[in-house]
Amino acid sequence: ASGVSAMSARVVKKGGSKGVNLLRVATSGGALNIRQSANEKGAKVGSAPNGVLLEVSEDGDGWTRVKFGGVEGWACAQYLTPYEEPNEAG
């Protein structure tokens, strides 16, 4: 245990007119399952590779509703980290 709570991950607003909320998938290398309901027993409706950005539509208790590749469902918040938009110097 690293001592970092999954609940410490916060949603970061992406710049631009849409104000889309994004989180990055942070697994140990495998894909993150996207499920129909916010629990481990929910049917798998898709998956997202490690490192990709997911659009957030809702936060739940330990689960986050996300959109990726035309699929919308729930992902375990433990494997999601804040997205920091790169600073543009100049």
Side-chain angles (χ1 to χ4, degrees):
S2 66
V4 176
S5 168
M7 297 310 288
S8 67
R10 72 190 197 297
V11 174
V12 176
K13 286 229 181 224
K14 182 179 178 186
S17 59
K18 282 185 159 183
V20 175
N21 294 325
L22 299 174
L23 290 174
R24 185 178 304 279
V25 174
T27 65
S28 59
L32 177 63
N33 289 331
I34 299 173
R35 300 191 177 275
Q36 189 173 24
S37 55
N39 60 65
E40 293 176 353
K41 295 181 180 176
K44 181 179 167 184
V45 294
S47 63
N50 185 42
V52 301
L53 296 176
L54 304 179
E55 184 179 336
V56 176
S57 59
E58 183 181 344
D59 284 321
D61 185 21
W63 291 81
T64 302
R65 190 163 179 83
V66 298
K67 295 178 185 176
F68 177 74
V71 173
E72 184 167 1
W74 293 90
C76 183
Q78 175 181 351
Y79 300 106
L80 299 171
T81 60
Y83 167 66
E84 298 291 335
E85 191 167 8
N87 290 332
E88 293 183 22

